Amino acid sequence: MKELTNNLKKLAASLKNKKAREENNLFIVEGVPLCNELLGSDYRTEFVIVRSNPDDIIKQLADEFQKQNTEVYIARSRQFEQLATTDSPQGIIAVARIKEGSRPVNGNFIALDGISDPGNLGTIVRTADWFGFRTILVGGYSVDKYNPKVVRSTMGSIFRCEIIYCPCLRQYIKEYYEDYEIFGAALNAKVKMEECKPSGKFGIVLGNEAHGISPETMEILTVPYLITGRGKAESLNVAVAAGISMYHFSVYNMV
């Protein structure tokens, strides 16, 4: 292992910001579980940083990266803490290359219309992976999918799902998923979710935490649906609504 250089330290630190991620085409993967997932994925790892005096688990993980010809650098504790994006860092950070040009996938999908909270986006990706929805369309005004909190919240599912950024979600769905039934969760819908039974390929749309699905995206829905409740809460958290929706629709997710 080599000592971390100032240039690499500055580069890794800059990747906490979206602009730097886009300019360098790189993002941060932090912690043992996520670095393990990265190691087994088809993402390219540029380099790895470990805190000085690593434990045996991190040493072993660093060795695995080195076997893949990835450079591993040692950072002093203070340096490492400055780079970490968590309050209690585990002692390993990888810098990975962003994939170029996601492509449409022929399968049932989840579409997210302006999800702004990174924890919500990451949780939805993780839940989609659990229920077998491997294609996630992320509309404009949504948080960056490579935001460190998003990456952490996916718990590794980001490496197994095809997450496609769509500046105009409505247009993307119309162009690539014209023959799909499009269901969307909406508070003013008349059809209950339990009544939704796709007859073929389909997508599920979930909207912004505060405003729901945008009017332009609402226009392409085949069926807006309501998640019924029995209490008095005004609305559901979007990640919770996504989980309930995917649980219901997963029985039809055979494509």
Side-chain angles (χ1 to χ4, degrees), residues 42-138:
D42 59 356
Y43 278 75
R44 175 181 164 187
T45 306
E46 292 297 309
F47 61 93
V48 172
I49 304 168
V50 300
R51 185 166 44 197
S52 56
N53 301 314
D55 62 27
D56 290 341
I57 292 174
I58 291 176
K59 283 181 183 177
Q60 184 177 359
L61 186 52
D63 287 344
E64 292 300 320
F65 276 108
Q66 288 180 314
K67 288 176 183 176
Q68 293 188 353
N69 297 317
T70 301
E71 291 284 2
V72 178
Y73 297 89
I74 289 281
R76 295 187 299 274
S77 290
R78 183 171 176 78
Q79 279 184 316
F80 191 89
E81 288 168 5
Q82 290 171 341
L83 296 174
T85 60
T86 57
D87 293 332
S88 302
Q90 294 181 356
I92 185 166
I93 294 171
V95 172
R97 183 152 297 279
I98 290 171
K99 279 187 179 180
E100 296 285 351
S102 298
R103 57 182 177 77
V105 179
N106 183 27
N108 298 328
F109 64 85
I110 306 298
L112 307 176
D113 191 15
I115 303 301
S116 58
D117 182 86
N120 282 338
L121 178 55
T123 300
I124 292 170
V125 171
R126 181 182 178 185
T127 307
D129 186 18
W130 176 263
F131 285 113
F133 292 91
R134 298 298 169 81
T135 302
I136 299 140
L137 311 183
V138 179

Side-chain angles (χ1 to χ4, degrees), residues 106-109 179-183 198-203 252 255:
N106 183 27
N108 298 328
F109 64 85
D179 57 340
Y180 280 53
E181 292 179 271
I182 309 298
F183 298 88
S199 57
K201 294 181 289 187
F202 67 91
Y252 305 100
V255 178

Side-chain angles (χ1 to χ4, degrees), residues 22-246:
E22 291 176 342
E23 287 176 350
N24 294 284
N25 220 29
L26 300 170
F27 69 104
I28 292 172
V29 180
E30 184 177 338
V32 172
L34 281 172
C35 285
N36 262 316
E37 294 279 3
L38 171 63
L39 192 62
S41 75
D42 59 356
Y43 278 75
R44 175 181 164 187
T45 306
E46 292 297 309
F47 61 93
V48 172
I49 304 168
V50 300
R51 185 166 44 197
S52 56
N53 301 314
D55 62 27
D56 290 341
I57 292 174
I58 291 176
K59 283 181 183 177
Q60 184 177 359
L61 186 52
D63 287 344
E64 292 300 320
F65 276 108
Q66 288 180 314
K67 288 176 183 176
Q68 293 188 353
N69 297 317
T70 301
E71 291 284 2
V72 178
Y73 297 89
I74 289 281
R76 295 187 299 274
S77 290
R78 183 171 176 78
Q79 279 184 316
F80 191 89
E81 288 168 5
Q82 290 171 341
L83 296 174
T85 60
T86 57
D87 293 332
S88 302
Q90 294 181 356
I92 185 166
I93 294 171
V95 172
R97 183 152 297 279
I98 290 171
K99 279 187 179 180
E100 296 285 351
S102 298
R103 57 182 177 77
V105 179
N106 183 27
N108 298 328
F109 64 85
I110 306 298
L112 307 176
D113 191 15
I115 303 301
S116 58
D117 182 86
N120 282 338
L121 178 55
T123 300
I124 292 170
V125 171
R126 181 182 178 185
T127 307
D129 186 18
W130 176 263
F131 285 113
F133 292 91
R134 298 298 169 81
T135 302
I136 299 140
L137 311 183
V138 179
Y141 306 106
S142 293
V143 63
D144 176 23
K145 64 183 179 181
Y146 293 113
N147 176 294
K149 188 173 180 181
V150 173
V151 176
R152 290 199 309 273
S153 299
T154 70
M155 295 296 288
S157 293
I158 190 171
F159 302 120
R160 290 185 292 274
C161 294
E162 191 73 29
I163 305 172
I164 302 170
Y165 177 71
C166 316
C168 181
L169 187 62
R170 176 180 179 271
Q171 186 58 39
Y172 194 93
I173 292 173
K174 283 183 69 177
E175 182 174 352
Y176 294 108
Y177 298 99
E178 186 179 11
D179 57 340
Y180 280 53
E181 292 179 271
I182 309 298
F183 298 88
L187 284 172
N188 60 353
K190 305 300 181 185
V191 177
K192 294 180 181 180
M193 181 185 67
E194 300 91 315
E195 298 169 7
C196 296
K197 298 177 180 180
S199 57
K201 294 181 289 187
F202 67 91
I204 305 169
V205 181
L206 296 131
N208 174 271
E209 291 89 345
H211 307 295
I213 299 171
S214 63
E216 56 267 27
T217 304
M218 285 290 292
E219 292 177 4
I220 64 168
L221 297 184
T222 310
V223 181
Y225 66 87
L226 176 67
I227 299 174
T228 55
R230 297 182 178 84
K232 296 182 180 180
E234 182 182 355
S235 63
L236 285 172
N237 169 276
V238 66
V240 173
I244 294 169
S245 299
M246 285 186 267

